[in-house]
Amino acid sequence: MHLHRYEKIWLAFGMGSLALFLVILGFAAFYKGMQPQSAIEVCDPNELDRIDDFKPENLGVTKVDDDQYIVNMVATAFNYDFGKDEDGKPVNKIRIPKGSKVLFQATTKDVIHGFEVAGTNVNMMLEPGFVSRYETELKNPGEYTVVCNEYCGVGHHLMFATVEVY
């Protein structure tokens, strides 16, 4: 089989580009130890009650300072657990003042879930055994729906909550 001179050049260019890409990827992944930012902290998904941030009494919104809040949440099968209110009912709506810096900390006990506050830049993948964190400033008032954007089972469509920025 005869290849034209230009075909040989483009074939060499394509193979060289692929080899360069794989060398750079391998260097970053193995030598530098790069991994997704959400994999900074690991945890045992069966013992989340032992981690201070995910104890039942610490779930939900916590004011840290003026205009700084932490939201701790545990995702389970078809539910976002933001803790319980004074009456012992599950919280499915959290309120954050406009212009506040919010650190979302979340993990899951069972399967991979998504955590997206629709209409904002908050979007995380929650994996069992890892703590995901995302810090943002909520500037625009309104009600935002929290949705699971990773298919997690037959009740996936029932997994939602609300963030109200006032």
Side-chain angles (χ1 to χ4, degrees), residues 7-88:
E7 288 178 309
K8 289 178 184 177
I9 292 171
W10 279 108
L11 189 60
F13 176 75
M15 293 176 104
S17 298
L18 179 62
L20 179 66
F21 171 74
L22 291 175
V23 166
I24 292 171
L25 184 67
F27 176 76
F30 298 110
Y31 181 73
K32 294 287 229 174
M34 302 249 177
Q35 53 186 320
Q37 183 175 355
S38 66
I40 292 175
E41 184 179 338
V42 294
C43 62
D44 183 354
N46 297 317
E47 299 193 15
L48 291 178
D49 294 342
R50 293 185 181 203
I51 301 172
D52 285 338
D53 292 335
F54 301 113
K55 288 183 177 178
E57 62 269 14
N58 294 333
L59 295 177
V61 180
T62 305
K63 185 174 183 174
V64 177
D65 199 8
D66 290 340
D67 296 331
Q68 287 190 335
Y69 294 84
I70 293 177
V71 176
N72 295 324
M73 190 274 307
V74 175
T76 56
F78 323 127
N79 180 43
Y80 288 120
D81 187 359
F82 289 104
K84 300 196 183 303
D85 62 12
E86 296 83 26
D87 299 329

